[in-house]
Amino acid sequence: MTTADAPAGPLTDLRVVEMGQLLAGPFCGQLLADFGAEVIKLESPGVGDPMRQWGREKAHGKSLWWPVVARGKKSVTCNLRSPEGQDLARRIIAEADVVVENFRPGTLERWGLGVEELHEINPGLIVARVSGYGQSGPYSARAGFGSIGEAMGGIRYVTGDPTNAPSRAGISLGDSLAAVFATIGVLAALHHREKTGVGQVVDSAIYEAVLAMMESLLPEWAIGGYQRERTGSVLPNIAPSNVYPTKEDSMILVAANQDSVFGRLATAMDRTDLIDDPRYRDHASRGVNMDELDELIASWTAERGTDELLELLHEAGVPAGRIYTASDMFADPHFAAREAIVKLAHPDFGEFPMHGVFPKLSKTPGAVRHAGPALGEHNADIYGALLGLTDSDQAALAGRGTI
């Protein structure tokens, strides 16, 4: 897909200035760019966002993560630690609708870029501030990475096998959740500004973003005296809902805990006797006897091939599926039909695949316009076209290390 082919998106009238680095703030910027916003990412001259180097796997010595998290953005170099760079940032922000930042609270204020100063030059500005602990409270000044927010928000304690230490989800869950909630806050604040003309602050803390996903964990403890624990691949008293082996020594997930769905599973297994068995005939009984029920189902699945099992279960109306790896995703026709994976041209990597834009809008869908840009690729666009600086002005700023 090329920029010319991409749908316009519903946010094309918005200009966003992204400050900060790594993931929590930049992922918010990515989401806004996906739906058409002009996202101007300010990066340190000569260095840029550390995400340009991060990632477990690299090709040609370059990050495979950066083209994804910086997709659709414009890269502008600006030394925010210098007075001259701070002045340039103010001039860009004066022309913006939204600022997204994820520095430690107080950093922008030290640079003369605090909310009060920014609202003086742009009263309608929305300032999304993503941090570990939020902008207030006794922990606000602490350094807060996503992993710490996941632990504090409660999800680490309940993730993993109960015989081992709490597990990581395998992705940067806390950072991403804080970014998603920051994006929701930005859109809500823009709606308010449309009616009033007044900007505001969106305060998104990583630990609170995680806490918001913790279902009924708090009242379970406060009212019921129940502390959720790690349960591995199952949910307590919810059966059958587990990972089961197949003949090829593979695994599938089966979720048949609802009464009617369990009846369909029992029929598919040719074990209709289980439907009226007092140990399994209702949700509560199956929960009490989940271990023996799981063993019974596992012995049945282990005798059949994965494809055979899935075809049988899908025809019976039983929710079931593979545990996908990246390879499975590329091969799956459903991913292809919904364009869940898109491919873009990249100057270093050639055809570059990444996940598509989500959610899908029927009238104004988003699109990935281009992969993450080179450092300072859009300096002339922003400093020249937007701020009106001449080539000699820009050269002088570059010579002083400002851009």
Side-chain angles (χ1 to χ4, degrees), residues 364-380:
T364 54
V368 183
R369 286 159 179 77
H370 59 79
L375 182 62
E377 181 176 334
H378 299 92
N379 280 9

Side-chain angles (χ1 to χ4, degrees), residues 20-260:
Q21 56 190 23
L22 298 177
L23 193 57
F27 186 44
C28 175
Q30 178 204 309
L31 296 175
L32 296 171
D34 281 351
F35 288 99
E38 179 189 30
V39 178
I40 302 169
K41 181 173 179 61
L42 304 185
E43 300 187 73
S44 297
V47 179
D49 192 319
M51 289 299 292
R52 290 180 177 275
Q53 286 79 44
W54 276 35
R56 179 175 300 175
E57 294 297 329
K58 294 182 173 66
H60 312 298
K62 296 184 178 182
S63 169
L64 295 174
W65 199 344
W66 170 258
V68 179
V69 74
R71 69 191 196 185
K73 301 177 185 178
K74 295 180 176 180
S75 172
V76 173
T77 50
C78 182
N79 184 0
L80 294 174
R81 291 166 176 79
S82 73
E84 194 171 40
Q86 293 157 8
D87 182 62
L88 287 174
R90 290 187 198 96
R91 293 177 62 182
I92 298 173
I93 291 169
E95 305 296 328
D97 299 282
V98 179
V99 165
V100 177
E101 67 95 4
N102 67 317
F103 296 112
R104 190 184 299 191
T107 300
L108 288 188
E109 285 74 10
R110 290 197 303 273
W111 292 342
L113 298 171
V115 174
E116 291 183 2
E117 290 89 344
L118 297 183
H119 278 158
E120 285 181 6
I121 61 174
N122 189 343
L125 185 71
I126 310 302
V127 183
R129 313 194 72 173
V130 187
S131 61
Y133 303 98
Q135 300 298 312
S136 61
Y139 302 164
S140 60
R142 292 181 180 177
F145 269 30
S147 57
I148 308 304
E150 292 166 20
M152 186 174 177
I155 201 165
R156 282 293 183 105
Y157 186 79
V158 298
T159 301
D161 187 278
T163 61
N164 295 319
S167 298
R168 184 177 183 271
I171 57 170
S172 303
L173 188 62
D175 288 306
S176 298
L177 285 173
V180 170
F181 280 105
T183 305
I184 294 171
V186 165
L187 298 177
L190 287 167
H191 180 69
H192 176 262
R193 189 187 71 174
E194 184 177 345
K195 295 184 293 183
T196 66
V198 178
Q200 61 181 298
V201 174
V202 176
D203 182 354
S204 181
I206 295 173
Y207 87 95
E208 286 174 336
V210 173
L211 181 63
M213 307 301 294
M214 296 307 296
E215 301 174 347
S216 56
L217 179 140
L218 294 176
E220 286 172 6
W221 169 255
I223 297 173
Y226 172 72
Q227 171 64 56
R228 285 201 192 189
E229 300 289 344
R230 293 183 292 287
T231 58
S233 62
V234 302
L235 289 172
N237 303 320
I238 305 295
S241 182
N242 206 339
V243 178
Y244 301 97
T246 69
K247 189 175 182 179
E248 301 96 338
D249 198 27
S250 184
M251 297 179 292
I252 64 168
L253 278 166
V254 178
N257 44 290
Q258 187 178 351
D259 289 350
S260 59

